[in-house]
Amino acid sequence: MKQIDFAVTDLSLDRQNPRHDVSTPTTREAIAALLEADPEKWVNLAQDIAAVGLNPTELTIVVEEEGDMVVIEGNRRVSALKALLEPDLVDHPGIRQQIGIIARRHRSTIPRTVRCVVSPSREAARHWIVLRHTGENQGVGVVRWNHEQVTRYAKKKNPSERALRFIHQVAAWYADDRDLLENVEKVRTSRLTTLARVLSDPKIRHSLGIEFTQDGILADYTPEAMHGSIRKIFSDLASHLSVSLIKSKEQRREYIGTLQDHLPQNSDRLAQPRLVKSTEEKKPALQTSATPSASAQEIQPKNPATKRPSEDKRVFQNVILRNVSSRTSKVLNEAKKVTIAESPNVAAIMIRAVIDITVSEAAERQGWRRRQDKLRDRIRVALSHIDPENQDRDLDEARRMSQNDGALSVKNLHAFMHQWAVEPMIIDVTRLSSVYTPMLVKIDAYLGENHK
């Protein structure tokens, strides 16, 4: 079999795709069939291809039939590419809008060609297609990693893992600093890779007084001494500091210069660095006396009793609404007491309740009264006002999930409350809380800026 690059427009989707119950004679019908099966996954694939490109380790297989190059392996990725290049191929209006937004944002990176393996016939490719889609096949196919292996690889290779550890620790150190925690949440949801780039520079780590080990974070200063510099970094990341501004060593040296007035003083440096173990693994230490150890005094926040839980453990745990009514604020605060892992059913219901009451209040106060019979409509209208140009990437996931019919759609938020047979999974509830956090925060900010 030979490999050839084909223009996306020169490839035809398979009318006999095993994924479909019936034949799909046109590209539009093939895309509609794939969306019917799982719209959320298909849109996720389109987003990934637009942002990162096609997976070079998985080549598309084509066969020539009646003068057309027909895709017999890789129909999902090719259909996503065709839609990105021509969004009107998508019949569903909400998903067509999402694909259009993705296409505009990644216009310069969307692949126009696909490296394909040309098979002499369908039968000649059958063996490889079967292996691709039917599991391990006693070792002949792809043997998947177990959870331990996945975790081991992620720790070694994922640069964002260190950034997440740092975020967890900052949230624990500065549990009372609301402004900092708001910026931490913004960074976690939209600037995590930028934080990872900052922390990848040894000179920045040295200036801050931190270093990462397998067991945790080595700190050269107390949290109090580092407060100013950490506050400055997260404020910059949440506002203007992007990857393009710290891409090179020279740019990062310039950035260190902007931190000089906020860095801890050398006179505050500890005699020996103190190891702060991961906040996800650390257990409360039993004290043998009423006075904590020197190490604990140096590393722990001033008020350990107010230490925040680990990331994403509670419903909307980092959301603070200052411009809503007293009742809406109380509903949110009561929801934030729910631990997702312990009470996933209550958590799912509270997520829906907080979203509904917040967008409903915003609509009533701002006079957004058109086409709001359903919750998804109220969410859509709210998003259209707080981000009329669809340019805020923090809101992409809320926009996509609220308007499609996938596994985490608004339809399922209703099902969590009204259907006895639907049981929410912890991972899904956690993601819902994370996805809608930026929307709630930005609605609150909008209300503060637009008093009526």
Side-chain angles (χ1 to χ4, degrees):
M1 297 185 188
K2 58 184 177 181
Q3 296 181 13
I4 299 178
D5 289 341
F6 288 97
V8 176
T9 52
D10 291 338
L11 297 175
S12 299
L13 299 178
D14 190 2
R15 290 181 292 180
Q16 306 170 41
N17 191 339
R19 293 183 183 276
H20 309 150
D21 293 334
V22 297
S23 176
T24 52
T26 67
T27 300
R28 185 181 299 275
E29 288 173 300
I31 291 175
L34 288 165
L35 285 172
E36 185 177 352
D38 199 322
E40 187 172 353
K41 288 182 180 178
W42 188 85
V43 173
N44 285 342
L45 175 62
Q47 170 72 50
D48 191 69
I49 290 174
V52 185
L54 290 165
N55 184 349
T57 69
E58 295 181 356
L59 296 183
T60 298
I61 302 178
V62 298
V63 62
E64 185 173 0
E65 293 180 341
E66 299 179 1
D68 294 329
M69 301 310 301
V70 179
V71 177
I72 58 175
E73 169 54 28
N75 277 272
R76 288 181 70 245
R77 71 195 85 141
V78 173
S79 68
L81 267 177
K82 284 180 175 291
L84 287 167
L85 297 174
E86 191 179 349
D88 284 343
L89 288 172
V90 181
D91 287 334
H92 190 290
I95 296 177
R96 182 170 61 247
Q97 181 186 39
Q98 294 175 55
I99 292 297
I101 293 168
I102 295 170
R104 288 195 298 274
R105 288 190 176 156
H106 300 281
R107 186 176 293 109
S108 61
T109 58
I110 296 173
R112 263 64 178 179
T113 62
V114 181
R115 173 61 59 91
C116 298
V117 175
V118 181
S119 175
S121 66
R122 288 179 180 263
E123 190 58 35
R126 180 179 179 81
H127 175 76
W128 310 112
I129 295 175
V130 168
L131 285 184
R132 173 72 177 80
H133 293 283
T134 57
E136 297 186 4
N137 287 287
Q138 292 156 350
V140 180
V142 177
V143 179
R144 295 189 177 278
W145 288 342
N146 60 31
H147 177 73
E148 180 182 355
Q149 292 162 343
V150 170
T151 303
R152 189 181 301 132
Y153 181 82
K155 286 185 176 180
K156 288 181 180 179
K157 300 298 182 181
N158 184 2
S160 296
E161 184 270 338
R162 182 159 55 183
L164 281 173
R165 278 203 284 157
F166 188 58
I167 280 176
H168 290 152
Q169 191 57 59
V170 167
W173 275 340
Y174 309 112
D176 295 326
D177 189 334
R178 289 189 173 186
D179 291 336
L180 172 56
L181 292 176
E182 285 187 14
N183 287 333
V184 165
E185 177 59 19
K186 290 178 183 177
V187 172
R188 188 189 69 80
T189 56
S190 63
R191 293 288 180 88
L192 190 62
T193 55
T194 311
L195 174 60
R197 180 67 65 93
V198 170
L199 296 176
S200 70
D201 193 302
K203 290 199 173 182
I204 292 182
R205 297 197 302 272
H206 176 75
S207 298
L208 292 175
I210 60 170
E211 193 52 81
F212 295 89
T213 71
Q214 283 190 329
D215 298 322
I217 299 174
L218 281 175
D220 289 327
Y221 303 93
T222 65
E224 290 76 17
M226 293 187 289
H227 195 173
S229 58
I230 290 176
R231 211 172 193 274
K232 167 69 172 168
I233 283 179
F234 277 97
S235 174
D236 291 345
L237 287 167
S239 55
H240 69 276
L241 190 62
S242 63
V243 170
S244 62
L245 297 178
I246 52 169
K247 188 172 291 184
S248 68
K249 284 186 178 181
E250 291 72 21
Q251 289 175 311
R252 293 194 290 273
R253 298 300 170 268
E254 290 179 10
Y255 179 64
I256 291 175
T258 69
L259 297 176
Q260 290 302 321
D261 293 340
H262 305 272
L263 293 173
Q265 299 297 311
N266 201 47
S267 58
D268 292 331
R269 188 179 293 270
L270 301 173
Q272 292 291 332
R274 301 298 183 185
L275 177 64
V276 187
K277 293 190 175 181
S278 169
T279 58
E280 293 180 307
E281 300 171 0
K282 184 165 53 180
K283 305 297 182 184
L286 295 174
Q287 296 294 332
T288 55
S289 67
T291 304
S293 66
S295 173
Q297 288 176 323
E298 289 167 343
I299 299 302
Q300 296 301 322
K302 289 182 178 180
N303 185 5
T306 61
K307 177 178 174 181
R308 295 179 69 84
S310 296
E311 197 73 34
D312 289 329
K313 296 298 183 184
R314 295 179 183 272
V315 171
F316 296 133
Q317 68 179 39
N318 290 326
V319 176
I320 299 172
L321 302 181
R322 296 187 175 92
N323 300 299
V324 297
S325 65
S326 174
R327 179 170 182 263
T328 298
S329 180
K330 287 178 180 178
V331 171
L332 170 65
N333 290 334
E334 290 170 11
K336 288 165 70 173
K337 296 177 182 178
V338 179
T339 303
I340 295 173
E342 295 176 0
S343 308
N345 289 287
V346 175
I349 292 171
M350 291 307 298
I351 285 172
R352 184 204 180 282
V354 170
I355 293 172
D356 198 345
I357 196 172
T358 302
V359 296
S360 297
E361 178 182 339
E364 183 172 339
R365 287 173 53 179
Q366 297 296 316
W368 305 334
R369 302 187 181 281
R370 296 181 59 193
R371 301 188 301 275
Q372 296 205 46
D373 294 335
K374 298 179 180 179
L375 176 57
R376 68 187 297 169
D377 296 331
R378 293 195 290 279
I379 293 173
R380 176 179 51 76
V381 170
L383 288 169
S384 71
H385 281 84
I386 64 176
D387 182 28
E389 301 298 325
N390 292 338
Q391 294 298 312
D392 192 336
R393 294 191 176 184
D394 291 354
L395 299 173
D396 277 355
E397 286 290 278
R399 187 179 294 108
R400 180 174 62 79
M401 286 172 53
S402 64
Q403 302 307 308
N404 69 21
D405 294 319
L408 295 179
S409 64
V410 172
K411 182 188 298 184
N412 273 51
L413 284 176
H414 295 319
F416 293 153
M417 179 175 290
H418 298 296
Q419 296 184 21
W420 62 267
V422 176
E423 185 171 349
M425 297 176 63
I426 292 172
I427 189 172
D428 290 343
V429 178
T430 301
R431 188 176 179 211
L432 284 166
S433 177
S434 174
V435 162
Y436 285 103
T437 285
M439 184 189 78
L440 295 175
V441 170
K442 291 170 193 283
I443 288 175
D444 185 65
Y446 183 94
L447 291 175
E449 296 167 0
N450 298 272
H451 295 288
K452 284 195 177 183

